[in-house]
Amino acid sequence: MAWPHVLITGASSGLGRALALECAGPGVTLHLSGRDGARLEAVAAAAAARGALVHPAVLDVRDAAAMAGWIGGAGRLDLVIANAGVSAGTGGATEPVAVTRAVFETNVTGVLNTALPAIAAMAGQAPGPDGVRGRVAVIASLAAFVAAPGAPAYCASKAAVQRWAEALDATERRRGIRLHAVCPGYVRTPMTSRNAFPMPLLMEAEAAARRTLAGIAAGRLRIAYPWPLYLGARLAGAMPAWLRNGVFLRLPAKAAE
């Protein structure tokens, strides 16, 4: 699971922070981005204490030019994790236009602003010891498999990047580049702390990071966990839309997703 050169977005808290610390170690160069400079510096210091060389950058993944410049100037990249994302539920009401746009701009456009320049850079790299030029992991969600009316933009945005990564891997692996669609269930983070509803099989961020990295190291295209929730999401996604929506609308209102 050791990748010498790693780049992670949304690394200032939550799963991104846990991924950064799990990757950190002697001989590892970490490129970390986030929007909160103080929190990002704290993560960088913690990763450096584990022996990594850390380059933090305060960036917004929605800024395509800034992201392209940062990634293009990072040098060799063995693993890029497009982790930055936002979430918002409707609380049973109509999703506001501004919220819809914000979710798609970060969760879809932000992922593309990370993955596309990374793939372009990796295409010019020499293969590593495993024969792979580089790996790009996209953090989706088990919500990608369920069109839940309580969080339409979130579910749709995660489905978009999950499908995109899985489809693109088929052709990019011919160039020695692998893509991975990571689909976690509920992870204890500042984002999920706002949820006003039960979150079954809630995982600590550190455990989720280890599962994510183990799946990438094993070469798995889709990394979905925990399996009981994954199974439930697939079953819910297979239900007729009218039935699924009826069930979800009878559940307690969701203040956030």
Side-chain angles (χ1 to χ4, degrees):
M1 286 171 54
W3 296 281
H5 305 92
V6 181
L7 183 147
I8 304 172
T9 64
S12 58
S13 66
L15 180 57
R17 177 185 184 278
L19 287 165
L21 296 182
E22 193 68 26
C23 288
V28 174
T29 298
L30 287 177
H31 301 272
L32 307 178
S33 77
R35 292 187 296 177
D36 188 310
R39 291 192 306 186
L40 186 63
E41 286 294 341
V43 175
R50 298 190 178 193
L53 175 63
V54 188
H55 300 290
V58 178
L59 289 170
D60 189 327
V61 293
R62 296 174 296 181
D63 188 334
M67 289 295 293
W70 176 52
I71 294 169
R76 182 177 179 88
L77 293 171
D78 300 299
L79 172 63
V80 169
I81 305 178
N83 168 75
V86 296
S87 171
T90 65
T94 299
E95 191 168 59
V97 172
V99 169
T100 300
R101 291 189 180 279
V103 170
F104 274 92
E105 286 169 5
T106 299
N107 293 4
V108 178
T109 303
V111 165
L112 295 179
N113 288 344
T114 305
L116 291 176
I119 291 169
M122 289 173 178
Q125 297 179 168
D130 58 357
V132 177
R133 297 180 190 276
R135 299 178 180 275
V136 176
V138 171
I139 303 299
S141 169
L142 291 184
F145 306 105
V146 185
Y154 183 75
C155 293
S157 66
K158 293 301 185 179
V161 296
Q162 174 258 326
R163 299 294 175 92
W164 178 76
E166 292 189 10
L168 189 61
D169 177 72
T171 52
E172 286 299 331
R173 67 169 62 199
R174 297 174 185 169
R175 299 201 293 173
I177 300 169
R178 289 299 317 278
L179 281 97
H180 308 272
V182 183
C183 303
Y186 294 111
V187 180
R188 193 187 304 278
T189 66
M191 189 165 69
T192 58
S193 68
R194 303 191 307 267
N195 289 353
F197 56 88
M199 293 179 283
L201 301 180
L202 179 66
M203 299 180 63
E204 297 299 326
E206 293 76 14
R210 288 192 292 270
R211 287 201 184 193
T212 296
L213 296 173
I216 295 170
R220 289 163 53 196
L221 174 56
R222 179 183 298 174
I223 304 162
Y225 59 83
W227 72 263
L229 280 188
Y230 177 47
L231 176 60
R234 296 306 303 269
L235 291 174
M239 294 170 63
W242 64 268
L243 177 59
R244 181 177 60 249
N245 289 343
V247 171
F248 273 95
L249 290 174
R250 284 173 172 78
L251 296 175
K254 300 181 180 182
E257 287 282 355

